Amino acid sequence: MYRLCRRSASALLRHDGARYNIHAIATPIFSATCSGDSVVETDAKTRWYSVLASGRCNTSQSSAALNLNKNGFFLGNRYESTAAFDASSPPPPPLEKYEYQAEVSRLMDLIVNSLYSNKEVFLRELISNASDALDKLRYLGVTEPELLKDAVDLDIRIQTDKDNGIITITDSGIGMTQQDLVDCLGTIAQSGTAKFLKAMKDSKDAGGDSNLIGQFGVGFYSAFLVSDRVVVETKSPKSDKQYVWEGEANASSYTIREETNPEKLLPRGTRLTLYLKHDDKGFAHPERIQKLVKNYSQFVSFPIYTWQEKGYTKEVEVDEDPAEANKDKQDETAEKKKKTKTVVERYWDWELTNETQPIWLRNPKEVTTEEYNEFYKKTFNEYLDPLASSHFTTEGEVEFRSILYVPAVAPMGKDDLINPKTKNIRLYVKRVFISDDFDGELFPRYLSFVKGVVDSNDLPLNVSREILQESRIVRIMRKRLVRKAFDMILGISMSENRADYEKFWENFGKYLKMGCIDDRENHKPLAPLLRFFSSQSEDEMISLDEYVENMKPEQKDIYFIAADSVASARNTPFLEKLLEKDLEVLYLVDPIDEIAVQNLKSYKEKNFVDISKEDLDLGEKNEEKEKVMKEEFGQTCDWIKKRLGDKVASVQISNRLSSSPCVLVSAKFGWSANMERLMKAQTVGDTSSMEFMRGRRVFEINPEHPIIQNLNAASKNCPDDNDALRVVDLLYDAALVSSGFTPENPAELGSKIYEMLGMNLQGKWSVPDAAEVQYPAATQSQTSQTYEAEVVEPAEAGGQK
């Protein structure tokens, strides 16, 4: 396509004195079917595509008018032009502009009830507005001291009337003029704070004040969450008049009037009066207000006072009984004593509610350990000091301050391992509490035991400031928080007091193992924190660093065995050869250990190897000996495989046994005996996958054991002997149990054992009964023959009778 420029088209495109205007914006292409003599050498008719005219035109006339040769610009091809219709064409219809219309009462209802999911945040929003008003006054007072001429303290005061359901919030801030009321309260979603911040940025000699909280212009309307009617009385130091703004819920209008009652005049600032709804009058209780202030606005930089009932004790006189009075008159000499009692005198007074200072804003070098511990106990209602704490400030792409703690004990019930919403991380934005209800946005599930506070000025929050939106900033913040948590835990592990980390591991070891499964990106910082028992350290857990340090020079892998206890792991036949070679084996006795280690795969370029799996390589191979053994026992392996059938995948000569006759090992990529046991115990276990994962087992024999040698002879001399075949069956069942598997038919195994015992013990220790003794039958001649007894007299000594 060719596009004509404006100047060329202006010079060329003239026809019968009419001038065509060219526009930069492309218009739809109209086609004109041209007839007549062609200007090209051939007599073929040519279609001329142009936006210059519509209908039929004479090609030759048009060509001449344009003074084009036979290789003309348009003829014989399709081109796009930006020419429009001439000036005589009717102009396009004018655009009509409309503004969006809104049902104000409906819009207010949507704002109030859609943005805020929790009614109690109304107090947080109104206190934040009051704090902004005080900050503005403090900022403007630097350049305009006359604004602070009224010596009024910069504070916020909240008073309640629980009987009538009224809450009054008063601040001594900048206040508002009549026009400010119209702009800020009468215009929805216009933030006076945002406007003030913009003016500050535009000012050449003013720096930004990050203490200002508001930004959306809807926080004030949260008052209608709990109120039927709101009255705003405000006095600006820039005006001599005080104005009253009044609005009702679900109303489309509001009123503004000048305050004329001298008793209600303010020296400066704003007073909000909330007339609560019938169902929300519980917010007017002083204790409820004090609790909400402590929760949401504890760290606002200005003092917040609440109107609280107080009491003190005093002694008052008690009226005497008339009978006792007469008795005292009779005894004039007795000393008269006045009787009193202790009573509590009640009164109302202002009480400072936010007395705890945000220590995360201070320099870490200036904060003592006692202050960190005290802050931890107050903030999280703990009674024990934390094991460790970390106070840091992050600057750069994301700026925030934080203090993290590792608790001394795990939560009761250990529910945090399952439920990530632990309320352990309190998020603040400009010292105002936002939320502690997160689902893994700031911390992963396996670090949910870490407690702390995070304060930032530029978090991506939604309008209600209750939901932390997913964004790149949040991901960066999460990454840095996790790294600091790992550094804090690593500090505990490197402590001189080894008992500190033992205590930590006892409470939170399962959490870190869960991290090996959930968080592949952080395997590197997680692995040094893990602890396990081993064959050389059955009483005290060791780290992977200690294991690697104790490895033999020729050892290439990290060996482990999974079992239900240290005793079971110690007595397993898989360990026999490794113990002979003094190779250390890790004992994975926690149900989650095996899965965690399998997800780690390696540590410091050393692979984790399960010694209960097939193809175990212990580093020593004698090919000649293996060849001799295969020739000698190859027939025996085939004979045993034929007897066991599909129970085993193969029968092999073992290199891991020394004292046991046989062992049953798992497939390299299947479940181990321990994993099979755990999966069977699952409530919602999948039987189909269980059959698939446990399908392949290898039966390994020890050629040096006498039983195997006897079976080797039986396989060659009498392979069909029933006793030999029963021994093979019993060996398989015994290996099944000793290797950690569960026999499919325990009763059958028991009967085989009883049968074998009966064969070996028959008559071994029994004593024959006299009644059951059978003597051989005597012959007739022996019974009929009579014998005479010979009497022998005793001889005397010396041969004398």
Side-chain angles (χ1 to χ4, degrees), residues 11-16 37-40 48 57-70 72-75:
L12 293 175
L13 298 184
R14 293 178 180 271
H15 181 61
D16 295 334
D37 298 332
S38 176
V39 296
V40 294
W48 180 10
C57 65
N58 188 283
T59 308
S60 59
Q61 293 177 357
S62 301
S63 304
L66 290 174
N67 195 21
L68 296 176
N69 60 15
K70 59 184 179 182
F73 200 19
F74 298 101
L75 303 182

Side-chain angles (χ1 to χ4, degrees), residues 6 24 66 71 102 147 184 275 282 321 324 327 670 674 741:
R6 183 183 299 271
L66 290 174
N71 295 322
L147 298 178
C184 297
Y275 296 88
D321 190 12
E324 293 182 0
K327 185 177 180 181
N674 181 70
F741 295 98

